[in-house]
């Protein structure tokens, strides 16, 4: 190797080799293969949770929607959503917060002088007369700061008292559920009793007649209400007991059963002015029954299973009356479509989609005609006519 070749510059050797070498064509990269399921499953079409009910609600048929929901609640007790009355009201109505606005401003000396309607909400609001008040601060024994403004007392910025009662007890801020309206005394007033006694048409219980159209051939009340017989005095009961039959005969002899006018009584009698007996006395009349029973409030509410048993018995009665309509209603409270309901009732697939809604409406109408509890008072929706 000669000297010039020994010191030859080889920095451009890579470019020379690349120029004399044949270009190699790069293979195109294949697109990533999409992973497909082994079967031919397709994504399911979105379906309604309760097609029959949503169809009725969409077209504004609230009477049939109410009856269909009633049928579902009877077949599946406990599935209904109970909305409490207090949940439908505003928090200001269901929650009692003390002090109120008037009490809070009255504690610092402001007085209500008038009322006006607020133009933004349309509500009546108070108009106050401002009264300057001084603020005093002092350190309590716990190291905090007590601030007094009028009757208000704040401890470290938190209101702990806003006034005092007549007996000197401190009024503390409270936030609690509002108590039920109305008095605690369930007894009727004297005016209500007099209003009932002055009603016309009252007859004597001795001349009352039973209901002329019995609901059933069987006796509704057994012999537990048979008239008590007469009992002679005994060592255990020295007074004995006057029989009911004898007592009624005696009343009829004196003419006090209501069948003889007062001025024609066989014996002389004096009519006294009407008056109410003092104390707790039984007064006949119409009275709203107690929620816990008339016999004793300590008996408790009716067990839940009794209501369910009665409901199941009533549902069996309705099924016997509804016949084929009961099957349609059972399908209508599920996620079955109108087409599937029509096919289940024997219609052809091409005709079932058209006939299904009519079958559901006919079944609901039959339920409304039989069951009074499935009826509701609703305003008919306005029908929109196409232009």
């Amino acid at each position: 190797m000669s000297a010039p070749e020994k010191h030859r510059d080889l920095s451009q050797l890579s470019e020379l080799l690349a120029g004399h070498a044949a270009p190699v064509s790069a293979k195109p990269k294949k697109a990533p293969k999409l992973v497909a399921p082994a079967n031919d499953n397709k994504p399911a079409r979105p379906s309604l949770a309760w097609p029959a009910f949503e169809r009725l609600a969409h077209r504004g048929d609230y009477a049939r929607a109410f009856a269909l929901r009633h049928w579902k609640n009877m077949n599946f007790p406990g599935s209904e959503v109970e909305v409490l009355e207090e949940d439908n009201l505003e928090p200001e109505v269901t929650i009692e917060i003390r002090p109120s606005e008037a009490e809070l401003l009255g504690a610092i000396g402001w007085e209500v002088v008038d009322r006006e309607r607020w133009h933004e909400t349309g509500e009546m609001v108070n108009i106050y007369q401002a009264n300057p008040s001084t603020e005093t601060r002092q350190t309590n024994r716990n190291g905090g700061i007590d601030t007094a403004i009028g009757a208000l007392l704040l401890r470290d910025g938190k209101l702990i008292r806003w006034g005092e009662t007549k007996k000197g007890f401190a009024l503390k801020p409270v936030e609690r559920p509002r108590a039920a309206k109305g008095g605690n005394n369930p007894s009727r007033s004297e005016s209500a009793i007099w209003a009932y006694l002055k009603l016309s048409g009252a007859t004597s219980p001795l001349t009352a007649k039973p209901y002329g159209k019995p609901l059933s051939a069987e006796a509704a009340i057994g012999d537990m209400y048979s008239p008590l017989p007469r009992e002679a005095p005994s060592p255990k009961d020295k007074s004995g007991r006057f029989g009911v039959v004898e007592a009624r005969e005696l009343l009829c002899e004196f003419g006090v059963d209501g069948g003889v006018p007062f001025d024609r009584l066989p014996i002389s009698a004096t009519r006294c002015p009407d008056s109410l007996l003092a104390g707790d006395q039984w007064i006949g009349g119409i009275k709203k029954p107690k929620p816990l029973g008339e016999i004793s409030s300590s008996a408790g509410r009716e067990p839940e299973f009794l209501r369910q048993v009665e409901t199941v018995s009533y549902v069996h009665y309705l099924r016997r009356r509804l016949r084929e309509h009961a099957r349609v209603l059972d399908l209508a409270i599920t996620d079955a479509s109108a087409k599937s309901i029509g096919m289940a009732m024997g219609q052809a697939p091409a005709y079932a989609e058209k006939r299904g809604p009519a079958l559901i409406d006919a079944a609901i109408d039959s339920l409304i005609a039989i069951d009074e509890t499935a009826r509701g008072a609703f305003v008919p929706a306005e029908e929109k006519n196409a232009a």
Side-chain angles (χ1 to χ4, degrees), residues 23 31 97 106 125 144 157 201 212 219 229 236 239 244 256 268 271 307 315 369 384:
I97 301 177
V125 295
K236 294 183 179 180
S239 301
V244 176
V256 294
S268 59
R271 184 185 296 274
R307 186 179 69 89
V315 170
K384 298 181 179 180

Side-chain angles (χ1 to χ4, degrees), residues 120-346:
E120 295 185 1
T121 61
E123 297 181 358
M124 296 297 294
V125 295
N126 297 330
I127 300 177
Y128 299 92
Q129 181 180 1
N131 187 18
S133 56
T134 58
E135 174 185 344
T136 59
R137 296 185 180 184
Q138 61 180 359
T139 305
N140 54 36
R141 58 184 179 181
N142 295 327
I145 302 298
D146 290 350
T147 305
I149 307 176
L152 302 179
L153 179 60
L154 297 92
R155 179 163 297 168
D156 297 333
K158 182 180 180 181
L159 181 64
I160 62 173
R161 189 184 67 187
W162 57 274
E164 293 182 352
T165 62
K166 294 181 179 180
K167 296 183 179 181
F169 296 101
L171 293 174
K172 299 180 180 180
V174 294
E175 182 176 352
R176 58 195 175 190
R178 190 177 297 277
K181 296 182 179 180
N184 297 326
N185 187 12
S187 60
R188 290 173 293 177
S189 60
E190 292 188 0
S191 60
I193 298 175
W194 278 117
Y196 173 77
L197 294 178
K198 292 180 180 179
L199 292 177
S200 60
T203 59
S204 170
L206 302 179
T207 60
K209 296 181 179 180
Y211 186 56
K213 185 178 180 182
L215 301 179
S216 175
E218 299 180 359
I221 301 177
D223 57 353
M224 68 283 295
Y225 284 94
S226 58
L228 297 176
R230 181 183 180 91
E231 289 187 0
S234 61
K236 294 183 179 180
D237 188 2
K238 297 181 180 180
S239 301
R241 183 176 62 196
F242 203 69
V244 176
V245 178
E246 293 83 354
R248 289 181 177 177
E249 293 178 354
L250 182 61
L251 292 177
C252 293
E253 292 179 3
F254 288 103
V256 294
D257 62 333
V260 180
F262 186 82
D263 54 353
R264 298 181 182 178
L265 292 176
I267 59 176
S268 59
T270 304
R271 184 185 296 274
C272 300
D274 298 334
S275 61
L276 299 179
L277 298 178
D280 297 335
Q281 303 291 337
W282 184 86
I283 303 295
I286 302 174
K287 185 177 181 182
K288 186 176 180 181
K290 298 179 181 178
L292 298 180
E294 286 287 352
I295 299 177
S296 175
S297 60
S298 61
R301 294 184 179 273
E302 184 183 50
E304 182 66 20
F305 76 91
L306 291 181
R307 186 179 69 89
Q308 295 181 3
V309 170
E310 293 177 357
T311 303
V312 171
S313 177
Y314 186 60
V315 170
H316 290 335
Y317 162 76
L318 292 178
R319 289 184 181 277
R320 291 193 300 268
R321 295 284 304 274
L322 292 171
R323 297 183 180 180
E324 291 297 327
H325 292 310
R327 185 182 177 188
V328 177
L329 292 174
D330 290 341
L331 295 173
I333 61 177
T334 63
D335 58 351
S337 61
K339 180 179 180 180
S340 60
I341 293 176
M343 294 176 60
M345 298 306 296

Side-chain angles (χ1 to χ4, degrees), residues 7-17:
H7 300 285
R8 184 176 295 177
D9 186 8
L10 301 178
S11 61
Q12 304 297 327
L13 179 61
S14 60
E15 296 181 2
L16 295 174
L17 294 176

